[in-house]
Amino acid sequence: MTPLVRVEGLTKHFWVGGGPFGTGQSRLRAVDDVSFAVAPGETLGLVGESGCGKTTVGRMLLRLIEPTKGTVEFDGEDLLRLPPDKMRERRRNMQIVFQDPYGALNPRMTIEDIIKEPIEIHGTLNAKDARRRAGELLARVGLAHEHGRRYPHEFSGGQRQRIGIARALALNPRFIVCDEPVSALDVSIQAQIINLLQDLQDELGLTYLFIAHDLGVVKHISDRVAVMYLGKIVEIGDKRALYSQPLHPYTQALIAAVPEAKPRAERRKAVISGEIPSALNPPKGCRFHTRCPHVMPICRETEPPVTETAGRHLVACHLYPAGGVAAA
């Protein structure tokens, strides 16, 4: 199947510190040479520890942050080559749901006006139809039409996130970046929002990039999962294969840390120690080698290539040479 979204070599470096004229600045490698694809109707989960670059990737896809280099293709078109007016048109098909449901909503606007705003900016409907559309979207996300006359502070966190989802749907997008949309919510509310996103995907044929650090949530909603560490993707695979047989030592440690309802005594715990190195000065070779329990001399010198194993399972680790057979 032809991907709806294809990312190749996506990179973002920020210059930080230094004097008033840019002297003495350091380069922060937030995202380094990231590649993946998302098929129509698919949910790709993007997971990793805080600061690994997940959110930066999501925002670069919509050009809310301009990449340093790389390509972002949407439906076969390279978005990074589009002038601002053309990119604005493409954003009708690409929307985002932010992590903080309160900070993402203008406190001075009513809910109806918040949902109508993208419709008015793009001029897709007249005022009457835009108002009707806002009411329909409120109903679709489980809120009442009269809620449109209220302000964001009058709602709970879960309700505000529903409003954020309604706004993202206003222009009938095909692709939505969900940037940790449930991390600020209670566990019971998280389940409701996840179920809502899945229902909307089934109903509207949506495609998601679902960014999160909670592997339990990602397992529930995703079709495939990509694991990031210090600006790089270290493993991508079907969620069943990745959760049942993770290949990269970092992925193994993340999954081992997920709480189980019925813990198994025989479960092997993969343990990592130490702190994530700074993206200002990432380690040479494999970026995970400073914390890896299976580190080898080659890991300290050479960056591992991406190897494809059975079932299109991709891993960047020297334990898996070409052909996908574990070396240790």
Side-chain angles (χ1 to χ4, degrees):
M1 181 182 294
T2 303
L4 179 64
V5 177
R6 185 191 297 275
V7 173
E8 293 287 347
L10 195 62
T11 299
K12 182 60 183 180
H13 295 168
F14 295 97
W15 291 98
V16 298
F21 301 104
T23 58
Q25 287 187 326
S26 299
R27 182 170 57 176
L28 188 150
R29 296 170 170 85
V31 177
D32 239 348
D33 195 23
V34 163
S35 300
F36 59 84
V38 191
E42 181 184 41
T43 298
L44 176 67
L46 185 60
V47 302
E49 293 170 286
S50 296
C52 71
K54 306 184 301 295
T55 291
T56 302
V57 168
R59 297 191 178 198
M60 281 195 290
L61 297 190
L62 278 65
R63 286 184 62 182
L64 299 178
I65 297 176
E66 291 291 338
T68 301
K69 63 179 180 179
T71 61
V72 178
E73 292 184 1
F74 180 80
D75 207 12
E77 183 176 40
D78 187 354
L79 299 181
L80 304 186
R81 295 180 179 273
L82 297 180
D85 57 331
K86 294 294 184 182
M87 186 61 214
R88 179 178 175 181
E89 292 178 11
R90 301 302 179 270
R91 283 208 180 99
R92 297 181 185 181
N93 286 316
M94 308 175 71
Q95 293 293 313
I96 185 169
V97 176
F98 294 98
Q99 176 179 358
D100 181 0
Y102 187 68
L105 304 177
N106 189 332
R108 296 177 178 271
M109 295 175 67
T110 66
I111 301 309
E112 182 181 277
D113 288 339
I114 287 172
I115 297 174
K116 284 174 15 183
E117 185 177 29
I119 300 172
E120 293 170 344
I121 289 173
H122 287 271
T124 56
L125 296 173
N126 59 39
K128 181 179 179 181
D129 289 340
R131 190 177 304 109
R132 183 174 65 250
R133 173 71 172 159
E136 292 171 351
L137 289 169
L138 283 172
R140 179 164 277 172
V141 299
L143 297 174
H145 188 275
E146 54 267 24
H147 287 149
R149 296 190 291 272
R150 300 181 186 178
Y151 290 84
H153 72 271
E154 301 180 69
F155 295 88
S156 67
Q159 289 174 319
R160 286 195 287 263
Q161 196 58 287
R162 289 175 184 270
I163 294 165
I165 294 170
R167 179 178 59 183
L169 295 174
L171 296 172
N172 294 311
R174 298 168 61 193
F175 175 67
I176 298 180
V177 174
C178 301
D179 184 11
E180 304 225 30
V182 298
S183 63
L185 307 177
D186 293 339
V187 174
S188 60
I189 306 302
Q190 287 183 8
Q192 295 176 19
I193 298 300
I194 292 298
N195 290 336
L196 172 62
L197 288 171
Q198 289 181 311
D199 290 343
L200 291 170
Q201 184 175 41
D202 293 340
E203 181 182 350
L204 303 175
L206 298 171
T207 302
Y208 293 143
L209 176 68
F210 191 92
I211 299 169
H213 61 268
D214 187 330
L215 272 77
V217 170
V218 170
K219 183 179 182 180
H220 184 72
I221 193 172
S222 300
D223 300 300
R224 290 187 303 127
V225 178
V227 181
M228 280 193 75
Y229 181 80
L230 200 61
K232 286 186 172 289
I233 289 181
V234 298
E235 186 168 356
I236 303 179
D238 176 82
K239 72 173 180 182
R240 294 176 182 84
L242 189 138
Y243 278 81
S244 63
Q245 192 174 7
L247 300 179
H248 198 281
Y250 178 62
T251 310
Q252 293 169 2
L254 289 181
I255 292 176
V258 176
E260 287 187 305
K262 296 181 179 179
R264 295 169 290 171
E266 73 276 8
R267 184 182 185 186
R268 183 181 178 184
K269 295 289 184 181
V271 179
I272 56 175
S273 59
E275 298 294 327
I276 302 177
S278 171
L280 289 170
N281 186 27
K284 182 181 178 182
C286 174
R287 295 189 177 187
F288 187 61
H289 83 255
T290 59
R291 304 173 71 194
C292 182
H294 308 293
V295 62
M296 301 179 291
I298 191 175
C299 304
R300 299 185 176 95
E301 299 296 330
T302 306
E303 184 176 330
V306 176
T307 298
E308 182 173 353
T309 67
R312 298 175 60 207
H313 198 137
L314 304 177
V315 61
C317 180
H318 288 299
L319 292 173
Y320 305 92
V325 179

